[in-house]
Amino acid sequence: PAARMNQPAKGTKESAVLEALTAEPVHVDELGRKLAMPMASLMPALSVLEIRGCIRQHTGKLFSRI
């Protein structure tokens, strides 16, 4: 239940980013291309997801889903 509360609402940029991520780390540039999302939108969405505990940032601008 607590983990579900941290999940972004459907249809948001955050939900699109979360759905595109897996447990395998992916570079932020690759993620941006995959989602066709500009960095100005992607980076804040990644920050929100990281604060919520949904994703993890790794060295080298890599991100993965938790």
Side-chain angles (χ1 to χ4, degrees):
R4 193 172 294 136
M5 289 175 57
N6 289 335
Q7 298 296 311
K10 296 280 186 199
T12 63
K13 290 176 191 168
E14 290 85 5
S15 69
V17 172
L18 188 59
E19 288 176 19
L21 288 170
T22 65
E24 185 68 29
V26 63
H27 193 272
V28 68
D29 290 340
E30 184 179 336
L31 185 60
R33 282 191 296 274
K34 181 178 181 179
L35 293 168
M37 188 179 291
M39 286 298 141
S41 297
L42 180 58
M43 294 308 293
L46 288 168
S47 295
V48 167
L49 291 168
E50 189 174 13
I51 290 167
R52 288 182 174 183
C54 299
I55 66 169
R56 175 177 295 138
Q57 182 174 1
H58 306 270
T59 304
K61 296 186 182 177
L62 299 171
F63 292 86
S64 66
R65 190 175 185 153
I66 295 177

